[in-house]
Amino acid sequence: MRPGGALLALLASLLLLLLRLLWCSADSPAGSRLLLEESREATHGTPAALRMLRSPATPVARTTNSTYLNEKSLQLIEKCKNLQDGVESFSKKMKGPSEDDYLQIITNIQSCPWKRQAEEYENFRAELASCCDAVQNFVVSQNNTPVGTNMTYEVESKKRIPIGETIFNMLPISQPFVEYPYNQCAVVGNGGILNKSLCGAEIDKSDFVFRCNLPPTTGNISKDVGSKTNLVTVNPSIITGKYGNLKKKKEFLEDIAAYGDAFLLLPAFSYRANTGASFKVYYALKESKARQKVIFFHPEYLKHLALFWRTKGVTAYRLSTGLMITSVAVALCENVKLYGFWPFSKTVEDTPVSHHYYDNKLPKQGFHEMPKEYGQILQLHMKGILKLQFSECETA
């Protein structure tokens, strides 16, 4: 070898040694041994470092976090799986769990990453379809209720109402949700947890927004609850109470103008007492040529839905509107997210929460089983069927 070539080889070996110094920990025995061997070989003019790079004979001890992270991930997966099983058995307790029990469960759930589970979602939607078929039957239409039908009331099942031409002409020809299935749907409950949530912008980005019982959406509150509304339920007690059985018709029309082109969904055929108030709403909108459209819950759909949830352990006198609408949303939408569902008097941080985001009026005792229903919704969240928003929304 020429002198210049030997010098170049020596320089190359020294350069590679320098690289190895950067890679190896000199404090470790393996690293020291490797460096010693390479220095010996380099002094004899053999480029051993090249051979080491091509085929390392001695594994170098390197401290990484990958093993630790994998172990932590596996522990979290196992913890969340156990938690899912725990929520199911927890919800089946005959004596209802306390509020503090629920809040502890929710605290644990929040540490689990949420992911939509397509198979779980399809299975649950198939269950709902086989019992109730919301796509075809949740709204009374001319297609599913021809003239001459003797319709049975949902709750007062011994009472019937004949469907003549007048009522028939009040009904849509078929189910009115022409863009079904919707991609992203928001079901907005009225829980006080929405205050200061900053969820409004996220809600308004949804393809379809469901709301319950004519809640306020205008003014400063819209930053927390949004303003977009595609369907809003109307409890007839609001019509008879707040609007004096529509003697305050002007005030009613002004209030519902905030909902744009939304459907107003009423349970006209749940109780006989609901029918008159619901029909008054229909005629008030028709006469004033309002943008909103009135539709009615089908009593058979609500009966079958109540039986479905009874098999899951919800045995209250009547389902809440929130659970009814959540069930409809799962049937009509590919992705469902729930906001403002919070039947507790405080947050997980022990901060007091009003019952509604606009007042603190509590529901009638014994009418609904809110904690039981919430237990079912928690299970749907844990299974990746729908997603519950527990706290403030992330803002851009």
Side-chain angles (χ1 to χ4, degrees):
M1 182 181 291
R2 290 182 299 177
L7 180 59
L8 285 173
L10 181 59
L11 286 173
S13 296
L14 289 172
L15 180 59
L16 289 167
L17 271 173
L18 182 59
L19 290 173
R20 298 303 294 173
L21 274 169
L22 295 174
W23 290 340
C24 301
S25 172
D27 293 330
S28 71
S32 301
R33 195 163 52 246
L34 182 62
L35 289 172
L36 182 60
E37 288 170 1
E38 292 200 355
S39 64
R40 284 174 183 162
E41 297 226 36
T43 56
H44 286 84
T46 306
L50 289 174
R51 292 201 303 273
M52 185 62 73
L53 283 172
R54 290 195 192 105
S55 178
T58 308
V60 180
R62 295 178 64 188
T63 305
T64 69
N65 290 326
S66 60
T67 304
Y68 172 76
L69 290 174
N70 286 339
E71 287 176 0
K72 293 295 286 184
S73 298
L74 289 171
Q75 288 172 9
L76 182 61
I77 291 168
E78 186 63 24
K79 172 193 166 186
C80 294
K81 177 65 174 68
N82 292 337
L83 185 57
Q84 181 177 323
D85 296 338
V87 169
E88 191 166 346
S89 58
F90 174 81
S91 300
K92 289 178 180 176
K93 286 184 178 179
M94 293 299 291
K95 187 178 180 181
S98 70
E99 182 171 284
D100 287 335
D101 289 337
Y102 268 109
L103 294 176
Q104 183 56 58
I105 284 279
I106 291 165
T107 300
N108 294 336
I109 287 173
Q110 285 179 285
S111 68
C112 295
W114 186 89
K115 183 181 178 183
R116 183 181 183 273
Q117 300 295 336
E119 187 175 352
E120 290 279 6
Y121 168 79
E122 292 297 343
N123 289 342
F124 183 73
R125 192 153 75 160
E127 267 193 88
L128 274 175
S130 65
C131 89
C132 314
D133 193 8
V135 174
Q136 297 299 323
N137 296 326
F138 108 85
V139 167
V140 184
S141 69
Q142 293 181 1
N143 281 355
N144 61 31
T145 310
V147 171
T149 301
N150 222 7
M151 182 178 282
T152 303
Y153 281 91
E154 174 210 345
V155 181
E156 296 175 306
S157 55
K158 293 183 179 178
K159 305 297 180 183
R160 296 174 180 271
I161 180 170
I163 304 300
E165 291 285 348
T166 302
I167 296 177
F168 182 78
N169 290 330
M170 295 166 69
L171 310 177
I173 294 172
S174 59
Q175 300 302 294
F177 306 104
V178 293
E179 293 181 35
Y180 157 84
Y182 299 92
N183 180 25
Q184 186 68 48
C185 293
V187 182
V188 186
N190 297 332
I193 199 75
L194 276 172
N195 283 319
K196 299 181 181 178
S197 68
L198 301 177
C199 286
E202 184 176 303
I203 290 168
D204 286 347
K205 287 178 183 175
S206 304
D207 300 307
F208 200 98
V209 179
F210 299 85
R211 298 185 190 271
C212 301
N213 295 330
L214 300 182
T217 59
T218 56
N220 200 41
I221 194 64
S222 65
K223 72 180 186 301
D224 294 327
V225 305
S227 57
K228 181 176 181 176
T229 307
N230 298 97
L231 181 150
V232 59
T233 66
V234 185
N235 191 321
S237 64
I238 297 172
I239 303 304
T240 55
K242 183 177 180 180
Y243 298 107
N245 208 18
L246 281 196
K247 288 175 183 174
K248 301 176 183 178
K249 178 180 172 182
K250 184 180 177 183
E251 182 184 341
F252 170 72
L253 292 172
E254 286 174 353
D255 286 350
I256 65 165
Y259 302 119
D261 295 326
F263 292 101
L264 269 58
L265 176 62
L266 294 103
F269 307 111
S270 291
Y271 300 88
R272 285 181 300 169
N274 287 358
T275 307
S278 300
F279 286 2
K280 279 190 176 184
V281 172
Y282 172 86
Y283 286 115
L285 267 65
K286 184 178 180 181
E287 289 164 10
S288 63
K289 298 181 179 178
R291 296 165 61 190
Q292 301 77 28
K293 299 176 182 65
V294 170
I295 53 178
F296 305 123
F297 260 127
H298 201 299
E300 287 300 313
Y301 171 78
L302 293 179
K303 277 185 199 175
H304 290 134
L305 188 66
L307 289 172
F308 171 82
W309 284 111
R310 186 171 288 273
T311 66
K312 309 288 185 185
V314 180
T315 57
Y317 177 67
R318 198 151 188 265
L319 299 178
S320 71
T321 304
L323 189 58
M324 292 175 185
I325 291 301
T326 297
S327 304
V328 170
V330 172
L332 295 183
C333 310
E334 296 296 335
N335 299 276
V336 178
K337 189 166 183 181
L338 272 51
Y339 304 82
F341 278 65
W342 194 260
F344 310 116
S345 64
K346 56 187 178 182
T347 67
V348 292
E349 292 86 14
D350 216 29
T351 305
V353 176
S354 60
H355 186 66
H356 297 132
Y357 65 81
Y358 48 85
D359 67 30
N360 200 30
K361 187 177 179 181
L362 299 176
K364 292 180 183 177
Q365 287 291 325
F367 202 71
H368 303 308
E369 276 186 322
M370 300 306 288
K372 278 272 187 184
E373 289 189 2
Y374 199 74
Q376 293 298 321
I377 289 170
L378 283 176
Q379 288 183 55
L380 298 181
H381 172 91
M382 291 295 292
K383 291 177 179 178
I385 294 167
L386 54 73
K387 187 175 185 182
L388 264 166
Q389 180 68 29
F390 293 109
S391 55
E392 292 180 14
C393 289
E394 294 180 9
T395 54

